[in-house]
Amino acid sequence: MGNQMKFPGISEELQNILDADMDNVEARRRAREAFKDIQLSIDHILFKVPHAGLKMEESYDVNSRGLEIFSKSWLPETRPKAVVYFCHGYGDTCTFLAEGIARKLASFGYGVVAMDYPGFGLSEGLHGYIPSFDKLVDDVIEHCSKVKEKPEFRNLSSFLFGESMGGAIALKVHQKQPNAWNGAVLVAPMCKIADNMVPPWLVTQILIGVAKFLPTQKLVPTQDLGELAVRDAKKREMMAYNIISYKHKPRLQTALELLNATKEIERLLEKVSLPLLILHGKSDIVTDPSVSKVLYERASSSDKKLFLYEDAYHALLEGEPDEMILGVFGDIISWLDEHTVS
């Protein structure tokens, strides 16, 4: 089944749409279309950013692997200072709260572009299934390359912006395109999954064996990411409104791909050479903040900055008290402004 959350005041017809099996992309698209006005009306600070003058566009395009990919762009009224390529996290999409993040960046003059990865959000594919992390990264590169060719983005500085798993994707994009980017903003990047989130060694070995035969099965034991990622109690309740995000146990192959990707990233930290802004909550127990510190220390870039926020959890831009969210945004905007050629 799908969302399994009962929302007060909505019709039985809408509730049935939300309760559908979200493994199929058509169910996810129906749910988002029916629910998006309710989503964007919740009392979250990200949705209080004025956006009347922003130019927003959604599109569906078939990529080179034959998958229909959803993407969205947010542009300021005037020519953008630079373009920011937003890479969302594992339990997220480029709609809902990412919408608020993009609006915030665009309100400061930045063009923002994002896509839902295959199997996530509104893009085609089995929900929450990553058969190959490397191919997913290639899908992101393909999309970014097409965007860079558009007249409105030509000759602009371009930055990667990755949250959680999106941080790992951004680092992998950089590894494949070491000279293609002017910098990267990494928010609680998934350079290593926190030890408490990984099953015991013996369980992991069993799951690796089973994954060869049942790669799509939702069998990996895990904790409630919403509880662990969001510090502010009121905002934790709002996470239920992210109705097309993947909320089940990780699929076997997906879990293995994420684990292997983080191990590879850990081995290649010295090759990170682009200007780098890393932001992480000290109390994050989803991705390991100590590894962000190691990334900062070992990255070969001479232009790098690390912010570690006292008491903050994993969802720095979505789940913290308002003053923390605004402070983190302030640090991001200041860094982008410093690295943008006028």
Side-chain angles (χ1 to χ4, degrees):
M1 294 294 284
N3 189 75
Q4 296 295 295
M5 172 72 184
K6 304 303 178 187
F7 295 95
I10 68 170
S11 67
E12 183 179 351
E13 180 185 9
L14 178 52
Q15 188 66 58
N16 288 338
I17 291 172
L18 301 183
D19 287 343
D21 183 353
M22 297 290 173
D23 278 1
N24 185 292
V25 68
E26 294 305 326
R28 302 197 296 271
R29 291 175 181 175
R30 279 194 299 272
R32 189 262 182 160
E33 186 60 32
F35 200 65
K36 64 182 179 181
D37 290 338
I38 296 173
Q39 277 187 322
L40 301 181
S41 66
I42 64 171
D43 185 26
H44 194 291
I45 191 170
L46 289 176
F47 297 137
K48 296 176 182 177
V49 179
H51 61 280
L54 301 182
K55 292 174 277 187
M56 296 176 278
E57 183 179 335
E58 297 184 355
S59 62
Y60 290 92
D61 301 285
V62 177
N63 72 1
S64 61
R65 293 204 289 138
L67 296 168
E68 190 173 52
I69 300 298
F70 171 82
S71 63
K72 185 162 183 172
S73 62
W74 299 258
L75 298 180
E77 290 186 84
T78 56
R79 180 171 167 78
K81 298 176 185 177
V83 59
V84 175
Y85 295 83
F86 181 84
C87 301
H88 69 73
Y90 169 75
D92 211 349
T93 74
C94 71
T95 55
F96 191 43
L97 292 175
E99 174 86 30
I101 293 170
R103 288 179 186 178
K104 184 79 170 175
L105 293 168
S107 72
F108 280 92
Y110 291 93
V112 183
V113 178
M115 64 174 275
D116 281 338
Y117 319 128
F120 289 80
L122 302 173
S123 287
E124 195 175 359
L126 179 64
H127 203 198
Y129 182 48
I130 303 176
S132 166
F133 196 81
D134 211 50
K135 287 181 180 178
L136 187 155
V137 172
D138 288 340
D139 291 333
V140 173
I141 289 174
E142 179 181 336
H143 178 253
C144 292
S145 298
K146 287 179 181 177
V147 169
K148 285 184 177 184
E149 294 169 2
K150 293 185 176 182
E152 61 265 38
F153 296 133
R154 209 167 288 152
N155 302 320
L156 287 177
S157 297
S158 55
F159 296 91
L160 291 160
F161 187 123
E163 281 197 302
S164 193
M165 182 183 80
I169 290 168
L171 287 170
K172 291 279 288 180
V173 169
H174 166 56
Q175 287 170 5
K176 292 190 175 205
Q177 297 183 306
N179 301 311
W181 302 90
N182 295 95
V185 176
L186 305 178
V187 183
M190 192 189 73
C191 300
K192 180 185 178 184
I193 301 169
D195 290 338
N196 66 297
M197 298 296 296
V198 179
W201 181 86
L202 181 58
V203 176
T204 300
Q205 299 312 304
I206 294 170
L207 293 175
I208 289 171
V210 176
K212 295 175 183 177
F213 307 100
L214 300 168
T216 65
Q217 291 300 301
K218 307 169 185 176
L219 294 176
V220 181
T222 189
Q223 301 177 61
D224 185 337
L225 291 181
E227 285 287 325
L228 299 175
V230 179
R231 178 161 64 121
D232 186 283
K234 185 178 177 185
K235 293 184 178 71
R236 195 179 304 133
E237 293 176 3
M238 296 177 190
M239 295 303 126
Y241 285 78
N242 198 358
I243 44 133
I244 59 170
S245 66
Y246 185 80
K247 299 183 179 72
H248 303 282
K249 288 181 179 178
R251 299 181 189 275
L252 284 173
Q253 187 63 33
T254 298
L256 294 181
E257 288 295 317
L258 296 182
L259 202 55
N260 290 334
T262 57
K263 288 178 180 177
E264 182 184 354
I265 288 168
E266 272 197 281
R267 289 196 301 268
L268 298 173
L269 295 182
E270 288 86 355
K271 294 189 177 181
V272 177
S273 58
L274 80 175
L276 199 58
L277 174 64
I278 311 164
L279 313 104
H280 218 130
K282 285 188 177 182
S283 296
D284 187 346
I285 55 173
V286 178
T287 59
D288 193 337
S290 69
V291 182
S292 278
K293 191 175 180 183
V294 174
L295 168 61
Y296 170 75
E297 292 167 350
R298 287 169 51 183
S300 61
S301 173
S302 59
D303 180 354
K304 52 190 176 181
K305 185 174 281 190
L306 170 67
F307 286 100
L308 294 173
Y309 299 94
E310 204 69 46
D311 300 323
Y313 283 20
H314 184 64
L316 275 178
L317 294 176
E318 302 94 346
E320 290 293 307
D322 289 355
E323 59 272 17
M324 177 67 79
I325 291 174
L326 293 174
V328 175
F329 262 117
D331 292 334
I332 292 171
I333 297 299
S334 295
W335 187 89
L336 285 171
D337 285 348
E338 289 168 9
H339 289 78
T340 300
V341 179
S342 301

